[in-house]
Amino acid sequence: MEIVSYFLETWSSFYQDPWFWQFPMTTLAISASIFLLFALPWTLIAWKDPESLRKYKIQDKAFELDKFFWPSIGRMLINNLILVALLIVSWPIIKLSGVHNGELPVWYIIVAQIIFFIFMDDFLYYWMHRWFHENKFLLKHVHSVHHRIRNTCGINGNYMHWIEFSATATLMLLGPMLIGAHLYVVWIWVVIRQFEAVDGHAGYDIPWNPAHWLPLYEGPVYHDFHHAKFKGNYAGFLPYLDRFMGNTYVKEYLTYLKGKRLGLKPLEVAKGIKAKQTFEG
Ligand SMILES: [Zn+2]
Ligand SMILES: [Zn+2]
């Protein structure tokens, strides 16, 4: 009985608890604002569709902004509101985690923790995403929402069913809660995670995209092929997982990488793939 009254008490006074505002609520506010900050410039580029960048477009077709810009904003708002409700309900449990705002660890511990979050989140995301595709019910009623968009741009990164959005947010928080990270480290991680969500949907494979400096990451092209071809490329960020989990790559994605190594521009490869031309090398 004591545990029940503990939970009821913690739950009913969540709004008086400063830690509730600092940890879940501020983290959510940072997450949503950073998403927009990263997503809007890419969306503007996709909307303008400038001639000079057309050769870097991954898919040889128009972006679906007319149809999906406002729905993307709407979904983002609703998904974040539902997440607020879920965070309130699960606050007594979240509160028990070791996430804190005490002393910051030294910088190399922070770096190690962030790397751990990136790999763990991506690994779990890979399996969740594959499950979304392999389970017929989830595919039809949940994940199909995100797949309505075939040629994505930045703002589409949060266009998904609220169940998928909440599950993705839970995976993101799992690492920090598991090791009891410092709140600032959680915030750095959230910024990186939203960068991942936006970059994967950017729609352009621009050589000077700073994301190309990141080891193991191939840029927006990896997730773009998931939207274009629907099956394969299941990780959120790091393509190595498809190789080790039973070679689940999208075939055309591998062809694309070959073409790129030959020095072709994204659109040239896209046209080549359409024409079923292979790029040996
Ligand atoms: Zn999918
Ligand atoms: Zn996507």
Side-chain angles (χ1 to χ4, degrees):
M1 275 321 275
E2 251 176 50
I3 187 120
V4 176
S5 61
Y6 167 80
F7 272 94
L8 276 176
E9 247 169 60
T10 327
W11 181 76
S12 58
S13 59
F14 65 87
Y15 52 89
Q16 291 172 338
D17 185 350
W19 186 229
F20 172 77
W21 296 102
Q22 282 163 18
F23 173 28
M25 289 303 111
T26 309
T27 306
L28 192 64
I30 291 174
S31 164
S33 343
I34 286 292
F35 173 76
L36 284 177
L37 192 75
F38 286 145
L40 289 176
W42 278 120
T43 311
L44 184 70
I45 293 174
W47 178 53
K48 293 276 176 202
D49 194 17
E51 186 72 53
S52 56
L53 291 182
R54 238 167 255 175
K55 56 181 175 291
Y56 298 124
K57 271 176 82 168
I58 301 167
Q59 295 186 37
D60 183 20
K61 52 177 151 176
F63 289 108
E64 295 156 88
L65 266 170
D66 286 356
K67 210 168 148 198
F68 287 109
F69 179 77
W70 288 113
S72 292
I73 300 281
R75 287 258 173 196
M76 190 203 143
L77 286 173
I78 290 166
N79 285 345
N80 278 291
L81 282 176
I82 292 174
L83 200 51
V84 168
L86 291 175
L87 286 167
I88 291 172
V89 173
S90 53
W91 177 231
I93 293 165
I94 297 172
K95 203 185 162 147
L96 295 177
S97 81
V99 175
H100 66 97
N101 60 352
E103 204 181 327
L104 254 178
V106 286
W107 69 267
Y108 52 86
I109 297 288
I110 296 179
V111 172
Q113 288 180 342
I114 297 278
I115 292 173
F116 170 67
F117 298 158
I118 292 175
F119 277 90
M120 190 183 114
D121 172 79
D122 206 50
F123 179 79
L124 295 176
Y125 183 86
Y126 174 91
W127 285 107
M128 182 180 82
H129 191 187
R130 238 177 106 163
W131 184 48
F132 277 157
H133 277 262
E134 282 163 10
N135 180 301
K136 284 201 170 69
F137 180 86
L138 287 172
L139 181 61
K140 188 170 172 211
H141 298 285
V142 177
H143 193 51
S144 63
V145 174
H146 187 60
H147 275 287
R148 284 177 195 162
I149 309 166
R150 301 289 294 271
N151 191 14
T152 62
C153 71
I155 200 72
N156 305 139
N158 274 355
Y159 182 88
M160 58 184 79
H161 193 285
W162 69 268
I163 291 181
E164 182 172 347
F165 185 80
S166 312
T168 308
T170 307
L171 293 192
M172 178 175 84
L173 280 178
L174 227 49
M177 285 176 48
L178 199 71
I179 64 164
H182 191 283
L183 186 61
Y184 293 171
V185 182
V186 180
W187 290 348
I188 298 171
W189 159 232
V190 165
V191 171
I192 294 172
R193 185 62 186 81
Q194 288 298 26
F195 161 80
E196 292 178 7
V198 171
D199 203 74
H201 295 97
Y204 288 89
D205 191 16
I206 299 176
W208 31 267
N209 179 353
H212 284 302
W213 299 335
L214 296 168
L216 293 174
Y217 182 52
E218 284 287 354
V221 63
Y222 171 73
H223 190 66
D224 199 287
F225 271 95
H226 178 69
H227 277 272
K229 300 293 172 189
F230 194 63
K231 262 190 172 163
N233 288 14
Y234 294 117
F237 191 55
L238 302 172
Y240 80 95
L241 280 166
D242 292 277
R243 176 178 308 156
F244 295 109
M245 306 299 158
N247 201 1
T248 49
Y249 285 121
V250 174
K251 259 200 340 263
E252 288 83 353
Y253 162 73
L254 298 176
T255 313
Y256 175 94
L257 292 185
K258 274 184 190 168
K260 220 177 125 178
R261 256 177 250 130
L262 294 176
L264 297 168
K265 297 276 182 290
L267 210 54
E268 293 167 330
V269 192
K271 282 178 179 155
I273 290 173
K274 231 183 201 171
K276 297 258 182 283
Q277 181 184 337
T278 54
F279 304 96
E280 296 307 331

